[in-house]
Amino acid sequence: MSGLYLEDYTAGRVFETVPVTLNADEIIWFAELHDPQLFHTDPEAAKESAFGEHVASGFQTVAIATGQFISTGAVDGTGLGGPGMDKIRWTAPVRPGETLSTRVEILEARLTRSDPGRGVVTLGFSVETESGLVLTFEATIFVRSRAGGNAD
Amino acid sequence: MSGLYLEDYTAGRVFETVPVTLNADEIIWFAELHDPQLFHTDPEAAKESAFGEHVASGFQTVAIATGQFISTGAVDGTGLGGPGMDKIRWTAPVRPGETLSTRVEILEARLTRSDPGRGVVTLGFSVETESGLVLTFEATIFVRSRAGGNAD
């Protein structure tokens, strides 16, 4: 997919993404860097933890899900960064070997008030594994509008 | 610091964390994995992008900031995961070589309704670099209470 402009982001449009499977080594590697808690970094110690098993850091699943959306190509050359994210909810743990299937729905898309070349789009993410829903969140991004062209 | 219990998380308590400096290679490495957009992955192409310079992925700065809090030891052995995050706002870009200084304030701490061994704590993060404020967000975590002891 080549990059989409604001005019292509219509509310209700859905993006399916390529599933990503997360193994134990990847969970440990990310957690040692960014979320060093035993239920993420140590599969054995995790059995004695509150989770009772080895589980992925929630930040890792958020990062994977946003990466899955970016990898659709939807923002290639048209994405202008984003101001924020909201309502991140980890509804169930993600275990080694599980596959993340991420669906992204356009919730809202409009021009920014200050700049006719720039639109603001709200994306609703939902991430499931074989076990069911594990994560939902909203991300807001800026994208070029066709009206604004490729000025910069 | 050894792990803190719910009773230690009083509203207004502030945690200062160890600063982390982010270099260009680390920005590229994270972005290639999780946020493959040219203004994150390619310092040269970034000059022609909307940002006009090479900038870090916002997810990387969120991951670093939460890692900085976890590295204080505050949740060592007492953290029970978390249900979510809210109000993530990237207020300014982070450039290679900048240092992230993260301050965490306890906004609210209370017992959960269902379990006297488990408290719920809301943390307010603010992240600055030499250039000023770059990121704010709230994270909610579950922690053990002393009333609940170490049952699991």
Side-chain angles (χ1 to χ4, degrees), chain B residues 91-125:
Chain B
T91 53
V94 175
R95 304 170 188 89
E98 291 190 326
T99 297
L100 302 167
S101 297
T102 297
R103 181 180 181 276
V104 182
E105 179 175 347
I106 306 305
L107 302 180
E108 190 188 0
R110 61 173 175 77
L111 277 178
T112 54
R113 286 176 189 82
S114 55
D115 181 352
R118 176 181 288 236
V120 57
V121 178
T122 306
L123 309 168
F125 283 71

Side-chain angles (χ1 to χ4, degrees), chain B residues 66-141:
Chain B
T66 51
Q68 285 173 300
F69 174 69
I70 290 164
S71 295
T72 63
V75 294
D76 280 2
T78 55
L80 299 170
M85 290 174 58
D86 288 278
K87 301 177 191 169
I88 297 176
R89 294 293 177 272
W90 293 291
T91 53
V94 175
R95 304 170 188 89
E98 291 190 326
T99 297
L100 302 167
S101 297
T102 297
R103 181 180 181 276
V104 182
E105 179 175 347
I106 306 305
L107 302 180
E108 190 188 0
R110 61 173 175 77
L111 277 178
T112 54
R113 286 176 189 82
S114 55
D115 181 352
R118 176 181 288 236
V120 57
V121 178
T122 306
L123 309 168
F125 283 71
S126 59
V127 184
E128 294 189 356
T129 67
E130 300 86 332
S131 308
L133 188 71
V134 296
L135 169 65
T136 57
F137 63 94
E138 295 181 11
T140 304
I141 59 171

Side-chain angles (χ1 to χ4, degrees), chain A residues 29-30 33-37 39 48-51 59-60 62-64 66-68 70-71 75-76 79-91 118 137 139-140 144 152, chain B residues 29-30 33-37 39 48-51 59-60 62-64 66-68 70-71 75-76 79-91 118 137 139-140 144 152:
Chain A
W29 165 85
F30 184 96
L33 262 174
H34 291 307
D35 196 352
Q37 302 186 78
F39 38 75
E48 310 301 317
S49 76
F51 286 98
F59 304 108
Q60 187 172 22
V62 172
I64 288 171
T66 50
Q68 285 173 300
I70 290 164
S71 295
V75 292
D76 280 2
L80 300 170
M85 291 174 57
D86 290 278
K87 302 177 190 169
I88 298 176
R89 295 293 177 272
W90 294 290
T91 55
R118 177 181 287 237
F137 63 93
T140 305
R144 291 182 200 279
D152 55 11
Chain B
W29 164 86
F30 184 97
L33 263 174
H34 290 308
D35 197 352
Q37 303 186 76
F39 37 76
E48 308 302 316
S49 74
F51 286 97
F59 303 108
Q60 186 172 23
V62 172
I64 288 171
T66 51
Q68 285 173 300
I70 290 164
S71 295
V75 294
D76 280 2
L80 299 170
M85 290 174 58
D86 288 278
K87 301 177 191 169
I88 297 176
R89 294 293 177 272
W90 293 291
T91 53
R118 176 181 288 236
F137 63 94
T140 304
R144 293 182 199 280
D152 55 12

